[in-house]
């Protein structure tokens, strides 16, 4: 017989993680009857009760905690699996809660590569792609069709296109009156896109339509790997970049975006979730001048680390490939190229990081978790 102890505010019961306490309001809210089976939205308002819920009795039956309440006829059946998940993880099970895997300079050939047609028609291929985008933050879709709607077809398989100041799409090629250094043939220092926007774009798609120029190699690095290396080598510098926000902008004739961002982004557990870097869109620092005495050396150290060969993957964008990467994690740049040596044209757009995770969760629930042990397809590298 499992011993459940009732108190004034909650109950304790033995679980795999040990004796665990749950608050009555939380338990009443966790009752599956609170969720409408049709809309799958919450239809119970805990504030509608005349007083705080309190259990009259509780026992285990059919893998559920069954609670009779003192002031309600309602009986709650709360799955033990939910209680176990909160007891061990502090939150509900989430198939998309996959650890980020830091990667380094040698990882380029191992980027996950999936043909476009497979992403569009095979849920297993789409799961492999979306899982790689969560774990590695980068993947390549090969054999892109060349028509106008090819890129939106791919993006919409993962999430709705989210607009930026440039609109729904942007074209990376030499422009006569560029609004951004990307639209020139010059080198582009390592950066994340549009940090001046309050919520900088999430997942970036860069579809290479044509590339016949000399030079112009694409550069990518994993911001999580560099940030973790900084934490290891200089913890004080790491803290300065993780604790303070600095200003960014995006300014032209018809827009004036401004936002403050942390250069190293961490979650409540202290894990690095991303980075924000863009010297060409960085505004005049507005941290206190004496704090800058320590902030700038830390910041410069981090910028220099991003130029180190141990982190950088260089590859040539090939027509027909689309690189997808997490704009809050993967730092990208470009070597300069000879503008009149050919044509270089990339078309880009963004979707949301939450949309990516949503798509992966749906696939995982259907049994496609994207886990793979197969050798990567190096032929299309
Ligand atoms: Fe960019």
């Amino acid at each position: 017989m499992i011993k459940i102890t009732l108190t004034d505010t909650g109950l304790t019961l033995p679980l795999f993680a040990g004796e665990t306490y749950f608050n009555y309001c939380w338990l009443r809210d966790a009752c599956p009857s609170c969720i409408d089976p049709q809309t799958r939205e919450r239809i119970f308002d805990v504030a509608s009760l005349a007083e705080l819920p309190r259990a009259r009795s509780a026992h285990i039956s059919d893998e559920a905690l069954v609670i009779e309440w003192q002031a309600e006829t309602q009986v709650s059946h709360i799955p033990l699996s939910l209680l176990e998940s909160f007891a061990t993880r502090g939150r509900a099970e989430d198939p998309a809660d996959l650890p980020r895997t830091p990667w380094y300079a040698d990882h380029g050939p191992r980027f996950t590569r999936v043909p476009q047609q497979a992403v569009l028609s095979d849920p297993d291929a789409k799961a492999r792609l979306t899982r790689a985008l969560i774990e590695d933050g980068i993947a390549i879709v090969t054999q892109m069709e060349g028509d106008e709607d090819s890129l939106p077809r791919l993006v919409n398989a993962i999430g709705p296109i989210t607009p930026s100041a440039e609109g729904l799409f942007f074209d990376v090629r030499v422009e006569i009156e560029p609004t951004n250094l990307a639209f020139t043939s010059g080198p582009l220092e390592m950066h994340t896109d549009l940090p001046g926007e309050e919520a900088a774009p999430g997942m970036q798609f860069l579809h290479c339509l044509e590339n016949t120029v000399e030079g112009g190699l694409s550069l990518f690095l994993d911001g999580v790997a560099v940030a973790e290396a900084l934490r290891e080598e200089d913890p004080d510098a790491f803290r300065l970049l993780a604790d303070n926000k600095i200003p960014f902008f995006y300014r032209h004739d018809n827009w004036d975006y401004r936002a403050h961002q942390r250069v190293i982004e961490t979650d409540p557990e202290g894990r690095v979730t991303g980075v924000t870097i863009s010297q060409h869109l960085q505004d005049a620092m507005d941290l206190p001048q004496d704090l800058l005495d320590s902030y700038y050396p830390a910041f410069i150290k981090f910028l220099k680390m991003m130029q180190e060969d141990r982190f950088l993957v260089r590859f040539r964008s090939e027509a027909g490939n689309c690189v997808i990467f997490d704009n809050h994690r993967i730092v990208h740049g470009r070597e300069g190229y000879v503008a009149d040596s050919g044509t270089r044209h990339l078309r880009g757009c963004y979707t949301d990081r939450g949309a990516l995770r949503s798509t992966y969760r749906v696939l995982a629930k259907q049994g496609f978790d994207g886990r793979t042990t197969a050798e990567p397809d190096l032929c299309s590298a």
Side-chain angles (χ1 to χ4, degrees):
M1 185 70 180
I2 293 174
K3 186 173 184 309
I4 301 173
T5 307
L6 307 184
T7 72
D8 291 346
T9 53
L11 57 77
T12 55
L13 77 167
L15 295 170
F16 287 122
E19 194 74 11
T20 309
Y21 172 78
F22 290 95
N23 166 271
Y24 285 141
C25 289
W26 186 93
L27 288 165
R28 182 62 185 85
D29 247 349
C31 177
S33 69
C34 296
I35 303 297
D36 176 44
Q38 179 62 39
T39 63
R40 302 180 202 185
E41 293 182 20
R42 180 173 298 280
I43 48 173
F44 170 70
D45 174 8
V46 69
S48 67
L49 300 176
E51 52 196 58
L52 293 176
R54 188 168 173 172
R56 181 151 48 85
S57 72
H59 66 278
I60 304 292
S61 175
D62 290 337
E63 296 299 307
L65 172 66
V66 182
I67 303 177
E68 292 180 303
W69 300 101
Q70 286 195 356
E72 291 183 279
T73 53
Q74 165 81 23
V75 178
S76 295
H77 296 255
I78 301 155
L80 282 180
S81 57
L82 180 72
L83 301 177
E84 291 286 4
S85 179
F86 273 82
T88 53
R89 298 152 43 87
R91 60 177 73 108
E93 191 79 32
D94 179 2
D97 186 15
L98 299 166
R100 293 170 178 83
T101 317
W103 52 262
Y104 304 86
D106 60 349
H107 196 64
R110 294 199 295 279
F111 286 159
T112 293
R113 290 167 165 82
V114 187
Q116 181 184 27
Q117 199 47 48
V119 180
L120 299 180
S121 60
D122 175 3
D124 186 49
K126 188 155 88 171
R128 272 190 289 123
L129 176 71
T130 47
R131 186 182 181 112
L133 290 171
I134 294 170
E135 290 180 327
D136 289 352
I138 188 166
I140 299 175
V141 173
T142 59
Q143 300 170 44
M144 290 283 290
E145 291 166 302
D147 62 284
E148 272 279 291
D149 295 327
S150 181
L151 179 58
R153 263 203 305 285
L154 173 65
V155 185
N156 285 319
I158 293 173
I161 297 171
T162 47
S164 71
E166 301 287 344
L168 289 178
F169 298 94
F170 57 91
D171 287 283
V172 183
R173 58 184 165 193
V174 175
E175 291 187 359
I176 305 299
E177 294 181 42
T179 55
N180 188 304
L181 286 173
F183 310 149
T184 70
S185 63
L188 202 52
E189 102 279 351
M190 300 305 288
H191 67 281
T192 54
D193 272 16
L194 302 178
E197 295 196 10
E198 191 172 303
M203 303 305 298
Q204 178 165 180
F205 292 67
L206 277 179
H207 178 195
C208 182
L209 295 164
E210 198 172 2
N211 188 10
T212 56
V213 298
E214 280 172 40
L217 286 185
S218 299
L219 311 172
F220 292 92
L221 62 75
D222 182 4
V224 167
V226 186
E228 290 295 357
L230 181 70
R231 170 152 46 194
E232 182 79 25
E233 292 167 26
D234 191 340
D236 292 338
F238 178 91
R239 280 263 60 87
L240 281 163
L241 300 186
D243 289 349
N244 295 288
K245 291 184 172 182
I246 61 169
F248 294 94
F249 66 91
Y250 194 38
R251 217 167 271 149
H252 214 262
D253 294 343
N254 296 318
W255 58 73
D256 184 354
Y257 287 85
R258 303 179 199 195
H260 285 74
Q261 315 281 1
R262 291 189 294 161
V263 168
I264 295 176
E265 177 192 297
T266 51
D267 66 14
E269 285 80 40
R271 297 174 299 192
V272 177
T273 54
V275 297
T276 298
I277 282 286
S278 181
Q279 288 182 84
H280 61 276
L281 295 176
Q282 183 195 309
D283 221 338
M285 291 273 195
D286 52 8
L287 291 171
Q289 293 292 323
D290 56 349
L291 178 56
L292 291 176
D293 290 345
S294 50
Y295 189 89
Y296 258 118
F299 183 54
I300 291 167
K301 185 172 202 165
F302 194 50
L303 292 174
K304 283 185 190 292
M305 285 176 77
M306 288 200 181
Q307 294 165 11
E308 292 179 25
D309 281 338
R310 59 176 164 148
F311 297 115
L312 273 176
V313 166
R314 289 181 171 80
F315 67 84
R316 184 175 176 80
S317 293
E318 300 287 355
N321 282 0
C322 182
V323 184
I324 312 175
F325 56 95
D326 183 340
N327 182 53
H328 290 251
R329 168 179 171 187
I330 305 305
V331 187
H332 63 287
R334 178 192 69 207
E335 294 180 345
Y337 61 92
V338 183
D340 57 6
S341 61
T343 306
R344 188 181 191 276
H345 182 191
L346 278 68
R347 193 155 191 246
C349 65
Y350 308 100
T351 190
D352 194 76
R353 291 204 289 185
L356 165 74
R357 286 170 187 275
S358 161
T359 298
Y360 178 76
R361 286 186 193 109
V362 170
L363 289 162
K365 274 190 266 183
Q366 293 168 350
F368 302 102
D369 69 6
R371 206 184 301 270
T372 177
T373 50
E375 284 299 306
D377 168 17
L378 301 181
C379 304
S380 52

